[in-house]
Coordinates of all heavy atoms in Angstrom, one line a residue:
M96 N 0.9 -1.2 0.0 CA 0.0 0.0 0.0 C 0.9 1.2 0.0 O 1.8 1.4 0.8 CB -0.9 0.0 1.2 CG -1.7 1.1 1.4 SD -2.8 1.1 2.9 CE -3.2 -0.6 3.0
A97 N 0.6 2.2 -0.8 CA 1.4 3.4 -1.0 C 1.4 4.2 0.3 O 0.4 4.1 1.2 CB 0.9 4.3 -2.1
A98 N 2.6 4.9 0.6 CA 2.6 5.8 1.7 C 3.0 7.2 1.2 O 3.7 7.3 0.3 CB 3.7 5.3 2.7
Y99 N 2.4 8.2 1.9 CA 2.5 9.6 1.5 C 3.2 10.4 2.7 O 2.8 10.2 3.8 CB 1.2 10.2 1.1 CG 0.6 9.4 -0.1 CD1 -0.2 8.3 0.2 CD2 1.0 9.7 -1.4 CE1 -0.8 7.6 -0.8 CE2 0.5 9.0 -2.4 CZ -0.4 7.9 -2.2 OH -1.0 7.2 -3.2
F100 N 4.2 11.2 2.4 CA 4.8 12.0 3.3 C 4.3 13.5 3.0 O 4.5 14.0 1.9 CB 6.3 12.0 3.2 CG 7.1 12.8 4.2 CD1 6.7 12.7 5.6 CD2 8.1 13.5 3.9 CE1 7.4 13.4 6.5 CE2 8.9 14.2 4.8 CZ 8.6 14.2 6.1
I101 N 3.5 14.0 3.9 CA 2.8 15.3 3.6 C 3.4 16.4 4.6 O 3.5 16.2 5.8 CB 1.3 15.3 3.9 CG1 0.8 14.2 2.9 CG2 0.6 16.6 3.7 CD1 -0.7 13.9 3.1
V102 N 4.0 17.4 4.0 CA 4.8 18.4 4.9 C 4.3 19.8 4.5 O 4.1 20.2 3.3 CB 6.2 18.3 4.5 CG1 7.1 19.2 5.5 CG2 6.7 16.9 4.5
D103 N 3.9 20.5 5.6 CA 3.6 21.9 5.4 C 4.8 22.7 5.9 O 5.2 22.6 7.2 CB 2.4 22.2 6.4 CG 2.0 23.7 6.3 OD1 2.5 24.5 5.6 OD2 1.1 24.0 7.1
V104 N 5.5 23.4 5.1 CA 6.8 24.0 5.4 C 6.6 25.4 5.4 O 6.1 26.2 4.5 CB 7.8 23.6 4.3 CG1 9.2 24.2 4.7 CG2 7.9 22.1 4.1
K105 N 7.2 26.1 6.4 CA 7.4 27.6 6.4 C 8.9 27.9 6.3 O 9.7 27.6 7.3 CB 6.9 28.1 7.8 CG 7.0 29.6 7.9 CD 6.3 30.1 9.2 CE 6.5 31.6 9.2 NZ 5.9 32.2 10.5
V106 N 9.4 28.4 5.2 CA 10.7 28.7 5.0 C 11.2 30.1 5.6 O 10.5 31.0 5.3 CB 11.0 28.6 3.5 CG1 12.5 28.9 3.2 CG2 10.7 27.3 2.9
H107 N 12.2 30.0 6.4 CA 12.7 31.3 6.9 C 14.1 31.7 6.4 O 14.6 32.8 6.6 CB 12.6 31.4 8.5 CG 13.3 30.2 9.2 ND1 14.6 30.1 9.3 CD2 12.7 29.1 9.7 CE1 15.0 29.0 10.0 NE2 13.8 28.4 10.3
D108 N 14.8 30.8 5.7 CA 16.1 31.0 5.1 C 16.1 30.4 3.7 O 16.4 29.3 3.5 CB 17.1 30.4 5.8 CG 18.6 30.7 5.4 OD1 18.8 31.1 4.2 OD2 19.5 30.8 6.2
P109 N 15.5 31.2 2.6 CA 15.4 30.7 1.3 C 16.6 30.2 0.6 O 16.5 29.2 -0.1 CB 14.8 31.9 0.5 CG 14.1 32.8 1.7 CD 15.0 32.6 2.8
Q110 N 17.7 30.8 0.9 CA 19.0 30.4 0.3 C 19.4 29.0 0.8 O 19.8 28.1 0.1 CB 20.2 31.5 0.7 CG 20.0 32.7 -0.3 CD 21.1 33.5 0.0 OE1 21.5 33.9 1.1 NE2 21.6 34.1 -1.2
M111 N 19.3 28.8 2.1 CA 19.7 27.5 2.7 C 18.7 26.5 2.2 O 19.0 25.4 1.9 CB 19.7 27.7 4.3 CG 20.3 26.3 4.9 SD 20.2 26.4 6.7 CE 21.4 27.6 7.1
Y112 N 17.4 26.8 2.2 CA 16.4 25.8 1.7 C 16.6 25.4 0.3 O 16.4 24.3 0.0 CB 15.0 26.5 1.9 CG 13.9 25.4 1.8 CD1 13.6 24.6 2.9 CD2 13.2 25.2 0.7 CE1 12.6 23.6 2.7 CE2 12.2 24.3 0.5 CZ 11.9 23.5 1.6 OH 11.0 22.5 1.5
E113 N 17.1 26.4 -0.5 CA 17.4 26.0 -2.0 C 18.5 25.0 -2.0 O 18.5 24.1 -2.8 CB 17.8 27.3 -2.7 CG 18.0 27.0 -4.2 CD 16.8 26.5 -4.9 OE1 15.7 26.8 -4.5 OE2 17.1 25.8 -5.9
E114 N 19.5 25.0 -1.1 CA 20.5 24.0 -1.1 C 19.8 22.6 -0.7 O 20.2 21.6 -1.3 CB 21.5 24.2 0.1 CG 22.5 25.4 -0.3 CD 23.1 25.0 -1.7 OE1 23.7 24.0 -1.8 OE2 23.1 25.9 -2.6
Y115 N 18.9 22.6 0.2 CA 18.2 21.3 0.5 C 17.4 20.9 -0.8 O 17.4 19.7 -1.1 CB 17.2 21.5 1.7 CG 16.2 20.4 1.8 CD1 16.5 19.3 2.5 CD2 14.9 20.6 1.4 CE1 15.6 18.3 2.7 CE2 14.0 19.6 1.6 CZ 14.2 18.4 2.1 OH 13.4 17.4 2.3
R116 N 16.7 21.7 -1.5 CA 15.9 21.3 -2.6 C 16.8 20.8 -3.8 O 16.4 19.8 -4.4 CB 15.2 22.7 -3.2 CG 14.0 23.0 -2.4 CD 13.3 24.4 -3.0 NE 13.4 24.4 -4.5 CZ 12.4 24.1 -5.2 NH1 11.3 23.8 -4.7 NH2 12.4 24.2 -6.5
K117 N 18.0 21.3 -3.9 CA 18.9 20.8 -4.8 C 19.3 19.3 -4.5 O 19.7 18.6 -5.5 CB 20.3 21.7 -4.9 CG 19.9 23.1 -5.6 CD 21.1 23.9 -5.6 CE 20.9 25.3 -6.1 NZ 22.2 26.1 -6.0
Q118 N 19.4 19.0 -3.3 CA 20.0 17.7 -3.0 C 18.9 16.6 -2.6 O 19.3 15.4 -2.8 CB 20.8 17.8 -1.6 CG 22.0 18.7 -2.0 CD 22.9 18.9 -0.6 OE1 23.2 17.9 0.0 NE2 23.1 20.1 -0.3
V119 N 17.8 17.0 -2.4 CA 16.8 16.0 -1.9 C 16.3 15.0 -3.0 O 16.1 13.9 -2.8 CB 15.5 16.7 -1.3 CG1 14.7 17.4 -2.2 CG2 14.7 15.6 -0.5
G120 N 16.2 15.5 -4.2 CA 15.8 14.6 -5.4 C 16.5 13.4 -5.5 O 16.0 12.3 -5.8
A121 N 17.9 13.5 -5.4 CA 18.7 12.3 -5.6 C 18.4 11.3 -4.5 O 18.5 10.0 -4.8 CB 20.2 12.7 -5.6
T122 N 18.1 11.7 -3.3 CA 17.8 10.8 -2.2 C 16.5 10.2 -2.4 O 16.3 8.8 -2.3 CB 17.9 11.4 -0.8 OG1 16.8 12.4 -0.7 CG2 19.2 12.1 -0.5
L123 N 15.6 10.8 -3.0 CA 14.2 10.3 -3.3 C 14.3 9.2 -4.4 O 13.7 8.1 -4.3 CB 13.2 11.3 -3.7 CG 12.7 12.2 -2.6 CD1 12.0 13.5 -3.2 CD2 11.8 11.5 -1.6
E124 N 15.1 9.6 -5.4 CA 15.2 8.6 -6.6 C 15.7 7.3 -6.1 O 15.3 6.2 -6.5 CB 16.1 9.2 -7.5 CG 16.2 8.5 -8.9 CD 17.0 9.2 -9.9 OE1 16.8 10.5 -10.0 OE2 17.8 8.6 -10.6
K125 N 16.8 7.4 -5.2 CA 17.5 6.1 -4.7 C 16.5 5.3 -3.9 O 16.6 4.1 -4.1 CB 18.7 6.6 -3.8 CG 19.5 5.3 -3.3 CD 20.6 5.7 -2.5 CE 21.4 4.4 -2.0 NZ 22.6 4.7 -1.3
Y126 N 15.5 5.8 -3.3 CA 14.6 5.1 -2.5 C 13.2 5.0 -3.0 O 12.3 4.5 -2.3 CB 14.7 5.7 -1.0 CG 15.8 5.5 -0.3 CD1 16.9 6.4 -0.4 CD2 16.1 4.3 0.5 CE1 18.2 6.2 0.3 CE2 17.3 4.1 1.1 CZ 18.4 5.0 1.1 OH 19.5 4.8 1.7
G127 N 13.1 5.4 -4.2 CA 11.9 5.1 -4.9 C 10.8 6.1 -4.7 O 9.6 5.8 -5.0
G128 N 11.1 7.2 -4.0 CA 10.0 8.2 -3.7 C 9.9 9.2 -4.9 O 10.8 9.4 -5.8
K129 N 8.8 9.9 -4.9 CA 8.6 10.9 -6.0 C 7.7 12.0 -5.5 O 6.9 11.8 -4.5 CB 8.0 10.3 -7.3 CG 6.5 9.8 -7.0 CD 6.0 9.3 -8.4 CE 4.6 8.8 -8.3 NZ 4.1 8.3 -9.5
F130 N 7.9 13.2 -6.0 CA 7.1 14.3 -5.7 C 5.7 14.2 -6.4 O 5.7 14.0 -7.6 CB 7.8 15.6 -6.1 CG 9.0 16.1 -5.3 CD1 10.3 15.9 -5.7 CD2 8.8 16.7 -4.0 CE1 11.3 16.2 -4.9 CE2 9.8 17.1 -3.2 CZ 11.1 16.9 -3.7
L131 N 4.7 14.4 -5.6 CA 3.4 14.6 -6.2 C 3.0 16.1 -6.2 O 2.4 16.6 -7.0 CB 2.3 13.7 -5.4 CG 2.5 12.3 -5.4 CD1 1.3 11.6 -4.6 CD2 2.5 11.7 -6.8
V132 N 3.4 16.8 -5.1 CA 3.3 18.1 -5.0 C 4.6 18.8 -4.4 O 5.1 18.2 -3.5 CB 2.1 18.5 -4.0 CG1 2.0 20.0 -3.7 CG2 0.7 18.0 -4.5
R133 N 5.0 19.9 -5.0 CA 6.2 20.6 -4.5 C 6.0 22.1 -4.5 O 6.4 22.8 -5.5 CB 7.4 20.1 -5.3 CG 8.8 20.5 -4.7 CD 9.9 20.0 -5.6 NE 11.1 20.0 -4.9 CZ 12.3 19.9 -5.3 NH1 12.5 19.3 -6.5 NH2 13.4 20.0 -4.5
G134 N 5.4 22.6 -3.5 CA 5.0 23.9 -3.5 C 3.9 24.2 -4.4 O 3.0 23.4 -4.5
G135 N 3.8 25.3 -5.1 CA 2.9 25.6 -6.1 C 1.6 26.4 -5.5 O 1.5 26.5 -4.3
A136 N 0.9 26.9 -6.4 CA -0.3 27.6 -6.0 C -1.4 26.8 -5.4 O -1.5 25.6 -5.7 CB -0.8 28.4 -7.2
F137 N -2.1 27.3 -4.4 CA -3.1 26.6 -3.7 C -4.3 27.6 -3.4 O -4.1 28.6 -3.3 CB -2.7 25.9 -2.5 CG -2.2 26.8 -1.5 CD1 -3.0 27.3 -0.4 CD2 -0.9 27.2 -1.4 CE1 -2.5 28.2 0.6 CE2 -0.4 28.0 -0.4 CZ -1.2 28.6 0.6
E138 N -5.4 26.9 -3.1 CA -6.6 27.7 -2.7 C -7.3 26.9 -1.6 O -7.6 25.8 -1.7 CB -7.6 27.7 -4.0 CG -8.9 28.5 -3.6 CD -9.8 28.5 -4.8 OE1 -9.4 27.9 -5.9 OE2 -10.9 28.9 -4.6
V139 N -7.5 27.6 -0.5 CA -8.2 26.9 0.6 C -9.6 27.0 0.3 O -10.2 28.1 0.0 CB -7.9 27.8 2.0 CG1 -8.7 27.2 3.1 CG2 -6.4 27.7 2.3
I140 N -10.3 25.8 0.3 CA -11.6 25.6 0.0 C -12.6 25.7 1.2 O -13.6 26.2 1.1 CB -11.8 24.3 -0.8 CG1 -11.0 24.2 -2.0 CG2 -13.3 24.1 -1.1 CD1 -11.1 25.4 -3.1
E141 N -12.1 25.1 2.4 CA -13.0 25.0 3.5 C -12.1 25.3 4.8 O -11.0 25.0 4.8 CB -13.6 23.6 3.7 CG -14.5 23.3 2.6 CD -15.2 21.9 2.8 OE1 -15.1 21.4 4.0 OE2 -15.7 21.4 1.9
G142 N -12.7 26.0 5.7 CA -12.1 26.3 6.9 C -10.8 27.3 6.8 O -10.6 27.9 5.8
E143 N -10.1 27.3 7.9 CA -8.9 28.2 7.9 C -7.7 27.3 7.9 O -7.6 26.3 8.6 CB -8.8 29.0 9.3 CG -9.9 30.0 9.2 CD -9.8 30.8 10.6 OE1 -8.7 31.1 11.0 OE2 -10.8 31.2 11.0
W144 N -6.8 27.5 6.9 CA -5.5 26.6 6.8 C -4.4 27.5 6.5 O -4.2 28.0 5.3 CB -5.8 25.6 5.8 CG -4.7 24.5 5.7 CD1 -3.5 24.5 6.2 CD2 -4.8 23.3 5.0 NE1 -2.9 23.4 5.9 CE2 -3.7 22.6 5.1 CE3 -5.9 22.7 4.1 CZ2 -3.4 21.3 4.6 CZ3 -5.6 21.5 3.7 CH2 -4.4 20.9 3.8
P145 N -3.7 27.9 7.5 CA -2.5 28.8 7.3 C -1.4 28.2 6.6 O -0.2 28.2 7.0 CB -2.2 29.3 8.7 CG -2.5 28.1 9.6 CD -3.8 27.5 8.9
L146 N -1.6 27.6 5.4 CA -0.6 26.9 4.7 C 0.5 27.8 4.1 O 0.2 28.9 3.6 CB -1.4 26.2 3.5 CG -0.6 25.1 2.7 CD1 -0.2 23.9 3.6 CD2 -1.5 24.7 1.6
Q147 N 1.7 27.4 4.2 CA 2.8 28.1 3.6 C 3.3 27.5 2.3 O 3.3 28.2 1.3 CB 4.0 28.2 4.7 CG 3.6 28.8 6.0 CD 3.4 30.3 5.9 OE1 4.2 30.9 5.2 NE2 2.3 30.8 6.5
R148 N 3.8 26.4 2.4 CA 4.4 25.6 1.2 C 4.0 24.1 1.5 O 4.5 23.5 2.5 CB 5.8 25.8 1.2 CG 6.5 25.0 0.1 CD 8.0 25.2 0.1 NE 8.7 24.2 -0.7 CZ 8.8 24.4 -2.0 NH1 8.2 25.3 -2.6 NH2 9.4 23.5 -2.7
L149 N 3.3 23.4 0.6 CA 2.9 22.1 0.8 C 3.7 21.2 -0.1 O 3.9 21.4 -1.3 CB 1.4 21.9 0.5 CG 0.8 20.5 0.8 CD1 0.8 20.3 2.3 CD2 -0.5 20.3 0.2
V150 N 4.3 20.1 0.5 CA 5.0 19.1 -0.3 C 4.3 17.7 0.0 O 4.0 17.5 1.2 CB 6.5 19.1 0.3 CG1 7.2 18.0 -0.5 CG2 7.1 20.5 -0.1
I151 N 4.1 17.0 -1.0 CA 3.6 15.6 -0.8 C 4.5 14.7 -1.6 O 4.7 14.9 -2.9 CB 2.1 15.5 -1.4 CG1 1.2 16.5 -0.6 CG2 1.6 14.0 -1.2 CD1 -0.2 16.5 -1.1
L152 N 5.1 13.6 -0.9 CA 5.9 12.7 -1.5 C 5.2 11.4 -1.5 O 4.4 11.0 -0.5 CB 7.2 12.5 -0.8 CG 8.0 13.8 -0.5 CD1 9.3 13.5 0.3 CD2 8.4 14.4 -1.9
E153 N 5.4 10.5 -2.5 CA 4.8 9.1 -2.5 C 5.9 8.2 -2.6 O 6.9 8.2 -3.2 CB 4.0 9.0 -3.8 CG 3.3 7.6 -3.9 CD 2.5 7.5 -5.3 OE1 3.1 7.7 -6.3 OE2 1.3 7.1 -5.2
F154 N 5.6 7.1 -1.7 CA 6.5 5.9 -1.7 C 5.8 4.6 -1.9 O 4.5 4.6 -1.6 CB 7.2 5.9 -0.3 CG 8.2 7.0 -0.1 CD1 7.8 8.2 0.4 CD2 9.5 6.8 -0.4 CE1 8.7 9.3 0.6 CE2 10.4 7.9 -0.3 CZ 10.0 9.1 0.2
E155 N 6.4 3.6 -2.2 CA 5.8 2.3 -2.4 C 4.9 1.9 -1.2 O 3.9 1.4 -1.3 CB 6.8 1.2 -2.8 CG 6.3 -0.2 -3.1 CD 7.4 -1.2 -3.4 OE1 8.5 -0.8 -3.8 OE2 7.2 -2.3 -3.0
D156 N 5.5 2.0 0.0 CA 4.8 1.6 1.2 C 5.5 2.4 2.4 O 6.5 3.1 2.2 CB 4.9 0.1 1.4 CG 6.3 -0.6 1.4 OD1 7.2 0.1 1.7 OD2 6.3 -1.7 0.9
A157 N 5.0 2.1 3.6 CA 5.6 2.8 4.8 C 7.0 2.4 5.1 O 7.7 3.2 5.5 CB 4.7 2.5 6.0
A158 N 7.2 1.1 4.8 CA 8.6 0.7 5.1 C 9.6 1.3 4.2 O 10.7 1.7 4.6 CB 8.7 -0.8 4.9
Q159 N 9.2 1.6 2.9 CA 10.2 2.2 2.0 C 10.4 3.7 2.4 O 11.4 4.3 2.3 CB 9.7 2.2 0.5 CG 10.7 2.5 -0.4 CD 12.0 1.7 -0.4 OE1 12.1 0.7 0.2 NE2 13.0 2.2 -1.1
F160 N 9.3 4.4 2.8 CA 9.4 5.6 3.4 C 10.3 5.8 4.5 O 11.2 6.6 4.5 CB 8.0 6.2 3.8 CG 8.0 7.5 4.8 CD1 8.5 8.7 4.3 CD2 8.0 7.2 6.2 CE1 8.6 9.7 5.2 CE2 8.1 8.2 7.0 CZ 8.4 9.6 6.5
R161 N 10.3 4.8 5.4 CA 11.2 4.8 6.7 C 12.6 4.6 6.2 O 13.6 5.2 6.7 CB 10.7 3.8 7.6 CG 9.7 4.3 8.5 CD 10.4 5.3 9.5 NE 9.4 5.9 10.4 CZ 9.6 7.0 10.9 NH1 10.7 7.7 10.8 NH2 8.8 7.5 11.8
R162 N 12.8 3.8 5.2 CA 14.2 3.5 4.7 C 14.8 4.9 4.2 O 15.9 5.1 4.4 CB 14.2 2.4 3.6 CG 14.1 1.0 4.2 CD 14.4 -0.1 3.1 NE 13.3 -0.3 2.3 CZ 12.2 -1.1 2.6 NH1 12.3 -1.7 3.9 NH2 11.2 -1.4 1.8
W163 N 13.9 5.6 3.4 CA 14.5 6.9 3.0 C 14.6 8.0 4.1 O 15.7 8.5 4.2 CB 13.4 7.5 1.9 CG 13.7 8.9 1.6 CD1 14.7 9.4 0.8 CD2 13.0 10.0 2.1 NE1 14.6 10.7 0.7 CE2 13.6 11.2 1.4 CE3 11.8 10.2 2.9 CZ2 13.1 12.4 1.7 CZ3 11.4 11.5 3.1 CH2 12.0 12.6 2.5
Y164 N 13.6 8.1 4.9 CA 13.6 9.1 5.9 C 14.7 8.9 6.9 O 15.4 9.8 7.3 CB 12.3 9.1 6.6 CG 12.2 10.4 7.6 CD1 11.9 11.6 7.1 CD2 12.4 10.3 9.0 CE1 11.7 12.7 7.9 CE2 12.4 11.3 9.7 CZ 12.0 12.6 9.3 OH 11.9 13.7 10.1
D165 N 15.1 7.6 7.3 CA 16.1 7.3 8.2 C 17.6 7.0 7.6 O 18.4 6.7 8.3 CB 15.8 6.1 9.0 CG 14.5 6.4 9.9 OD1 14.3 7.5 10.3 OD2 13.7 5.4 10.2
S166 N 17.6 7.1 6.2 CA 18.8 6.8 5.4 C 19.9 7.8 5.8 O 19.6 9.0 6.1 CB 18.6 6.9 4.0 OG 18.4 8.2 3.5
P167 N 21.1 7.4 5.7 CA 22.3 8.3 5.9 C 22.2 9.5 4.9 O 22.6 10.6 5.3 CB 23.5 7.5 5.8 CG 23.1 6.0 5.8 CD 21.6 6.0 5.4
E168 N 21.8 9.2 3.7 CA 21.8 10.2 2.7 C 20.8 11.4 3.0 O 21.1 12.5 2.9 CB 21.3 9.6 1.3 CG 22.3 8.6 0.8 CD 22.0 7.1 1.2 OE1 21.1 7.0 2.1 OE2 22.5 6.3 0.6
Y169 N 19.6 10.9 3.4 CA 18.6 11.9 3.7 C 18.8 12.6 5.1 O 18.6 13.8 5.3 CB 17.2 11.4 3.6 CG 16.1 12.5 3.9 CD1 16.1 13.6 3.0 CD2 15.3 12.6 5.0 CE1 15.1 14.6 3.2 CE2 14.4 13.6 5.2 CZ 14.4 14.7 4.3 OH 13.5 15.7 4.5
S170 N 19.3 11.8 6.0 CA 19.6 12.4 7.4 C 20.5 13.6 7.3 O 20.3 14.5 8.1 CB 20.1 11.3 8.3 OG 19.2 10.3 8.5
K171 N 21.5 13.4 6.4 CA 22.4 14.6 6.2 C 21.8 15.8 5.8 O 22.0 17.0 6.4 CB 23.5 14.1 5.3 CG 24.7 15.1 5.2 CD 25.9 14.5 4.5 CE 25.7 14.8 3.0 NZ 26.9 14.5 2.2
I172 N 21.0 15.7 4.7 CA 20.4 17.0 4.2 C 19.2 17.4 4.9 O 18.8 18.5 4.9 CB 20.2 16.9 2.7 CG1 19.1 15.8 2.4 CG2 21.4 16.5 2.0 CD1 18.6 15.9 1.0
R173 N 18.5 16.4 5.7 CA 17.3 16.9 6.5 C 17.8 17.9 7.5 O 17.0 18.8 7.7 CB 16.8 15.6 7.2 CG 15.5 15.8 7.9 CD 15.0 14.5 8.6 NE 16.1 14.0 9.5 CZ 16.2 12.6 9.6 NH1 15.4 11.7 9.1 NH2 17.1 12.2 10.4
E174 N 18.9 17.9 8.0 CA 19.5 18.9 8.9 C 19.4 20.3 8.3 O 19.2 21.3 8.9 CB 20.8 18.5 9.4 CG 20.8 17.3 10.2 CD 19.9 17.3 11.5 OE1 19.9 18.6 12.1 OE2 19.2 16.5 11.8
I175 N 19.7 20.3 7.0 CA 19.6 21.6 6.3 C 18.2 22.1 6.3 O 18.0 23.3 6.5 CB 20.1 21.5 4.8 CG1 21.6 21.0 4.7 CG2 19.9 22.8 4.0 CD1 22.0 20.6 3.3
R176 N 17.3 21.2 6.0 CA 15.8 21.7 6.1 C 15.4 22.1 7.5 O 14.7 23.2 7.7 CB 14.9 20.5 5.5 CG 13.4 20.9 5.6 CD 12.5 19.9 5.0 NE 12.5 18.6 5.7 CZ 11.8 18.3 6.8 NH1 11.1 19.2 7.3 NH2 11.9 17.1 7.3
F177 N 15.9 21.4 8.5 CA 15.5 21.8 9.8 C 16.1 23.3 10.2 O 15.5 24.0 10.9 CB 16.2 20.8 10.8 CG 15.4 19.5 10.9 CD1 16.1 18.4 11.5 CD2 14.2 19.3 10.3 CE1 15.4 17.2 11.5 CE2 13.6 18.0 10.3 CZ 14.2 17.0 10.9
R178 N 17.3 23.6 9.7 CA 17.8 24.9 9.9 C 17.1 26.0 9.0 O 17.1 27.1 9.6 CB 19.4 24.9 9.7 CG 20.1 24.1 10.7 CD 21.6 24.3 10.6 NE 22.2 24.1 9.3 CZ 22.7 23.1 8.8 NH1 22.6 21.9 9.5 NH2 23.2 23.0 7.6
A179 N 16.7 25.7 7.9 CA 16.1 26.7 7.0 C 14.6 26.9 7.0 O 14.2 27.8 6.6 CB 16.5 26.3 5.5
S180 N 13.9 26.0 7.9 CA 12.5 26.1 7.9 C 11.9 25.5 9.1 O 12.6 24.9 9.9 CB 12.0 25.3 6.7 OG 12.2 24.0 6.7
E181 N 10.6 25.6 9.3 CA 9.9 25.0 10.2 C 8.9 24.1 9.4 O 8.3 24.6 8.5 CB 9.1 26.0 11.1 CG 10.0 26.9 12.0 CD 9.1 27.9 12.6 OE1 7.9 27.6 13.0 OE2 9.6 29.1 12.7
A182 N 8.5 23.0 9.9 CA 7.5 22.1 9.3 C 6.6 21.4 10.2 O 7.0 21.1 11.4 CB 8.3 21.1 8.4
R183 N 5.5 21.0 9.7 CA 4.6 20.0 10.3 C 4.6 18.9 9.2 O 4.3 19.2 8.0 CB 3.2 20.6 10.5 CG 3.2 21.7 11.6 CD 1.9 22.3 11.8 NE 1.4 22.9 10.7 CZ 0.1 23.1 10.5 NH1 -0.8 23.0 11.4 NH2 -0.3 23.6 9.3
A184 N 4.8 17.7 9.7 CA 4.8 16.5 8.7 C 4.1 15.4 9.3 O 4.2 15.0 10.4 CB 6.3 16.2 8.3
V185 N 3.5 14.6 8.3 CA 2.9 13.3 8.6 C 3.2 12.3 7.5 O 3.4 12.7 6.4 CB 1.4 13.3 8.8 CG1 1.0 14.2 10.0 CG2 0.7 13.8 7.5
M186 N 3.3 11.0 7.9 CA 3.2 10.0 7.0 C 1.9 9.3 7.0 O 1.5 9.0 8.2 CB 4.4 9.0 7.3 CG 4.6 7.9 6.2 SD 3.5 6.5 6.3 CE 3.9 5.7 7.8
I187 N 1.2 9.1 5.9 CA -0.1 8.5 5.9 C -0.1 7.4 4.9 O 0.5 7.5 3.8 CB -1.1 9.6 5.7 CG1 -2.5 8.9 5.9 CG2 -1.0 10.2 4.4 CD1 -3.6 10.0 6.0
Q188 N -0.8 6.3 5.2 CA -0.8 5.2 4.3 C -2.0 5.4 3.3 O -3.1 5.9 3.8 CB -1.0 3.9 5.0 CG 0.3 3.5 5.7 CD 0.3 2.1 6.3 OE1 -0.8 1.5 6.4 NE2 1.4 1.7 6.6
G189 N -2.0 5.2 2.1 CA -3.0 5.3 1.1 C -4.0 4.2 1.2 O -3.9 3.3 2.0
A190 N -5.1 4.4 0.5 CA -6.2 3.6 0.5 C -5.9 2.3 -0.3 O -5.1 2.4 -1.2 CB -7.5 4.2 -0.1
E191 N -6.5 1.3 0.1 CA -6.3 -0.1 -0.6 C -7.0 0.0 -1.9 O -8.1 0.5 -2.0 CB -6.7 -1.2 0.3 CG -5.8 -1.5 1.4 CD -6.1 -2.7 2.2 OE1 -6.7 -3.6 1.6 OE2 -5.8 -2.8 3.3

């Protein structure tokens, strides 16, 4: 069952965040992840949602997501994201 990593990001250091953006793709490719949403325009349809920047990644399953998220390759650049931004993130399993 597919797994999705959904992240609402508030970037406070755009230059540093750009370094993260340049490097994250190679780690995703290695672990079979792909971007479904990477920023972009949005429209709040219901309620209040103080969304800044939304990112949605797709993985084959939750185990593959964990292999990527805990990998040495991603752990190294994840620190760049932590320094350049604040985020709220969830991993959610897709429907069968």
Side-chain angles (χ1 to χ4, degrees):
M96 177 181 321
Y99 301 91
F100 186 45
I101 302 172
V102 188
D103 178 9
V104 182
K105 181 178 182 181
V106 176
H107 54 77
D108 186 334
Q110 285 183 314
M111 186 181 295
Y112 193 81
E113 184 61 26
E114 286 305 309
Y115 167 79
R116 283 177 42 98
K117 288 177 186 176
Q118 297 179 52
V119 71
T122 69
L123 286 169
E124 188 174 317
K125 180 174 180 178
Y126 289 90
K129 68 178 182 179
F130 285 102
L131 297 182
V132 174
R133 192 174 193 184
F137 63 88
E138 177 183 357
V139 176
I140 303 300
E141 295 183 17
E143 294 182 33
W144 192 343
L146 188 64
Q147 300 291 316
R148 174 184 171 76
L149 187 67
V150 177
I151 302 175
L152 306 177
E153 180 181 51
F154 291 86
E155 179 181 335
D156 55 31
Q159 192 63 13
F160 161 75
R161 274 291 174 197
R162 281 189 280 279
W163 168 74
Y164 191 81
D165 297 332
S166 71
E168 299 91 347
Y169 185 63
S170 293
K171 185 172 89 172
I172 65 166
R173 185 176 59 210
E174 293 302 318
I175 298 170
R176 179 172 62 82
F177 289 166
R178 289 192 310 270
S180 65
E181 297 173 33
R183 294 181 300 165
V185 298
M186 186 280 295
I187 188 166
Q188 293 186 346
E191 290 187 25

